[in-house]
Amino acid sequence: MSAALLDELRAALGAAQVLTGSGADGYLTDQHRRLTGRALAVLRPADTAQVAQVVRLCRQHRTPIVPQGGNTGLMGAATPDDSGRAVVLSLARLNRVRAIDTDNDTLTVEAGAVLAAVQQAAREAGRLFPLSLGSEGSCTIGGNLATNAGGTQVLRYGNARELVLGLEVVTAEGEVWHGLRGLRKDNTGYALRDLYVGSEGTLGIITAATLKLYPLPQAQHTALLAFGCIHDAIAFLGVARAGFGAGLTAFELMSDTVLGLIAQHVPEQPLPLALEAPWYALIELSDSEGEQHARDRFEAVVGRAFEDGLVSDAAIAESLQQSDALWRLREEALGEAQRRDGRNIKHDVSVPISRIPDFLAATDAALQARFPGVRPVAFGHLGDGNLHYNVSHPLGGTPADLFAHEDAIHELVHDSVHPHGGSISAEHGIGQTKRDVLPRYKSAVELDLMRRLKAAFDPLGLLNPGKVLAPASLRLHEE
Ligand code: FAD
């Protein structure tokens, strides 16, 4: 049966685009290198018609499909299980820009286009596509939409969901939904687009998207600011929002532990100020009226915050190079410092901004009580209430000692997020990694609605099975 399917897939795509054996290996392990699955084959269709044909063939053979973009997701959502029954469907060859409409401020692009290439295409048209992630050199726009990715500009422009107007999707039946509408207003029934966004490949396969474009900023100002406590950082966020309005495009929080790890492990990226405060934030002002206007606004707001005692120290970038160096601390050195310090236990959570101080105090205290000496490594997108609350091994200990308590540490942190009105996944999704803990934090009503949606969109349960919802919990219909 699988041999027959492979023959049909080779006939449909060409033998070179049906990878088996060692040719498939690069697609079977997740980004963290913690999960490796097996697959009947990795398929690399060239266009939407081929994706639809693959889905129809797999459906006839009752073969599960795992969609994959850049494979940079952090929840194991693009990795097949180890049964070897599924095919991995790589969207990488669907990477064309189909249209740019500058009057409508939209860009239509295929799902496998790498995010950096989408940003570049927008720039070449004199526009900004503002989604910005550390993985932008390899993640794809299809993957960004399937995970409803966030990143550093959500504060101003929103998540991936807020940046897309239309989608083209191959359904579980192998039909094509031509939903590439460039409309900002369209109240014609259920918002199917919004269901596909964030569904992690479990409801349909995104093959193209019409994205929103924005004006390119004329000037940008970046600074690293120090705060005497987390309350001051939050108070300054309010001040910056009021002072900069929509110009505030980033507010990236980092604890002193985070910057200390960079100082210790990544000396090639020197810190621009002395490490004397508990909290820091990388902030960015984007301005549409030019350099001088940006500088004046920046100095007025930050200067007043200094006088009011909200900000205790500041390194303000005076050139593009200095601005890039500040961003490198956040985008590159931060990850590298954690790697060199030893693997840590990662959390991507959100809580209402007003409850962040209580959440941090309660979680730090609970962790120390149960796992003395562990080091919280907290950073994140403060303006979105999104914290990456990672936990590192005690000094003198090892990552292996820490990982012996991995499940208990996850549970402790997530159990603390929940009563603070938060979410156990702010921007990375559920995938397989958080699938089994989801029912602990979602109501039975919400989970049941999700299962019914899944059964309606994918009655045979062939699209990315075992991701987001456990297969055993699904009510699927065998035809
Ligand atoms: P993949 O990893 O290939 O897939 C992710 C999920 O989407 C899977 O469920 C897959 O089945 C599904 N999928 C992929 N393509 C399609 C498609 N065309 N149709 C249907 N389903 C599809 N994430 C953030 O949100 N914010 C960040 O700031 C951020 N920073 C990161 C920094 C680094 C260094 C790394 C490694 C990752 C980061 N991520 C971040 C996570 C990751 O980059 C994003 O989740 C990204 O959106 C995944 O895109 P991808 O193309 O790699 O998708």
Side-chain angles (χ1 to χ4, degrees), residues 60-103:
Q60 280 162 21
H61 290 264
R62 301 292 189 264
T63 295
I65 299 169
V66 180
Q68 191 176 98
N71 198 18
T72 68
L74 301 173
M75 291 293 117
T79 308
D81 67 16
D82 57 11
S83 69
R85 283 187 56 231
V87 294
V88 171
L89 177 60
S90 167
L91 279 298
R93 293 176 69 219
L94 278 78
N95 59 6
R96 287 163 287 253
V97 173
R98 289 200 192 159
I100 297 186
D101 180 344
T102 48
D103 286 341

Side-chain angles (χ1 to χ4, degrees), residues 36 45 50 54 86 98 102 135 137 162 172 226 251 266 323 325 412 431 443 478:
T36 296
Q50 287 194 352
V54 163
R98 289 200 192 159
T102 48
S135 54
E162 281 125 305
F251 200 111
V266 195
S323 171
L412 184 153
S443 71
E478 195 51 55

